[in-house]
Amino acid sequence: MPERDVISWTAMIAGLSKNGRIDEARLLFDRIPERNVVSWNAMITGYSQNSRLDEALDLFEKMPERDLPSWNTMITGLIQNGDLRRARKLFNAMPKKNVISWTTMITGYVQEGESEEALKIFSRMLSTNGAKPNQGTFVSVLGACSNLAGLGEGQQIHQIVSKTVYQDSTFVVSALINMYSKCGELKTARKMFDDGMTSQRDLDLDLVSWNGIIEAYAHHGCGKEAIRLFNELRKSGFKPDDVTYVGLISACSHAGLVEKGLKYFDELVKDGSILVREDQYACLVDLCGRAGRLKEAVDFIERLETKPSASVWGALLVKPQPY
């Protein structure tokens, strides 16, 4: 390039970092004639993406000036690498927080199984007069309610959602369906689905809600209703994805519909557009294990071109047989 500006340098740093060439990215960063806050943030993101947290923090401490994205970048990097303790310390030290800051911390606690703390942070967020929850916030905090089977908290959040533009978001509707299902309120979950489907406009996203209600019926052992919904999904013009099949095969497993479950797993494998993941293999093991037909699972897996990991084979070996 005849002339490089800070944008060019920063783009190169980001590109090298994404490809794992973090040391080369640092060499470029050190050569930038004039760095701006975006350059610093890009380098910190690169270290975080490559699990070099100490170097990311060291660079963060050396920044001549930090903006809100700088703090959020560092906190996100720590959480993505499982360092919730240091992320919380930085979060508490932030001079100012926005919705991304709050949502990132809430999501981090949910992912680490600390859902009660996630709800406490959400409560603190509401008590401040600054950031307002967005779609991601509601999805994460409803996930916390699902984990705790906290119906009361979930209903309170539902009331908050109903006063926002996110009440028709398919991702929020799906999170509400999941929350009510996990709290034992299957009828309410179904009502959320029916109400949500009549108000949706973005057909590409509606599959999220279909998956949510199929998973709800699977959770409650209602295999036949899950299958009926699956057939309805197809008639409506939607193409099932990998998440759909996890819910469907799980529903068959919980309802003892082994032949149906094997049929759907075979269908999944033959659909070349969907990559068979660990979740589907685990569902197959569970399906056959509940019926005492693990040999069929072994035979089925051995015929596949794509083999599961050692953890799935391990599950096959230790799966107890029913008496």
Side-chain angles (χ1 to χ4, degrees), residues 56 133 268 319:
L268 166 66
K319 188 78 180 176

Side-chain angles (χ1 to χ4, degrees), residues 265 276-289 294 297-298 300-302 304 306-319:
F265 190 87
V276 183
R277 298 186 295 110
E278 293 291 291
D279 288 351
Q280 283 95 3
Y281 283 121
C283 284
L284 177 67
V285 171
D286 189 59
L287 175 75
C288 295
L294 284 179
V298 174
F300 205 109
I301 290 173
E302 285 183 337
L304 300 177
T306 306
K307 301 302 180 187
S309 69
S311 63
V312 173
W313 286 113
L316 274 167
L317 293 172
V318 302
K319 188 78 180 176

Side-chain angles (χ1 to χ4, degrees), residues 179-199:
M179 183 275 293
Y180 279 116
S181 169
K182 295 287 174 63
C183 293
E185 296 288 329
L186 186 56
K187 286 184 179 179
T188 308
R190 182 55 186 264
K191 185 177 186 305
M192 284 299 311
F193 172 75
D194 292 338
D195 291 348
M197 291 306 294
T198 57
S199 65

Side-chain angles (χ1 to χ4, degrees), residues 109-224:
Y109 276 109
V110 173
Q111 290 173 347
E112 290 297 315
E114 297 187 38
S115 294
E116 288 186 17
E117 191 60 34
L119 288 176
K120 288 179 184 176
I121 293 176
F122 179 69
S123 180
R124 276 183 55 199
M125 179 185 183
L126 295 180
S127 66
T128 63
N129 295 321
K132 301 295 182 186
N134 64 11
Q135 176 180 276
T137 318
F138 285 127
V139 169
S140 288
V141 78
L142 285 167
C145 295
S146 298
N147 294 341
L148 296 169
L151 180 60
E153 294 87 346
Q155 288 172 326
Q156 289 174 14
I157 293 165
H158 189 179
Q159 287 180 345
I160 298 170
V161 169
S162 66
K163 298 172 185 175
T164 71
V165 296
Y166 304 111
Q167 62 180 326
D168 284 338
S169 158
T170 47
F171 294 103
V172 175
V173 168
S174 182
L176 283 164
I177 289 169
N178 186 53
M179 183 275 293
Y180 279 116
S181 169
K182 295 287 174 63
C183 293
E185 296 288 329
L186 186 56
K187 286 184 179 179
T188 308
R190 182 55 186 264
K191 185 177 186 305
M192 284 299 311
F193 172 75
D194 292 338
D195 291 348
M197 291 306 294
T198 57
S199 65
Q200 299 309 316
R201 295 293 178 267
D202 191 340
L203 296 180
D204 290 333
L205 293 180
D206 277 340
L207 184 60
V208 176
S209 294
W210 282 100
N211 288 345
I213 194 62
I214 288 171
E215 184 184 346
Y217 279 104
H219 181 71
H220 287 273
C222 304
K224 291 182 179 178

Side-chain angles (χ1 to χ4, degrees), residues 86-98:
R86 283 199 287 186
R88 180 60 182 269
K89 187 177 178 182
L90 270 186
F91 176 78
N92 290 340
M94 289 183 77
K96 186 180 179 183
K97 301 175 179 70
N98 63 5

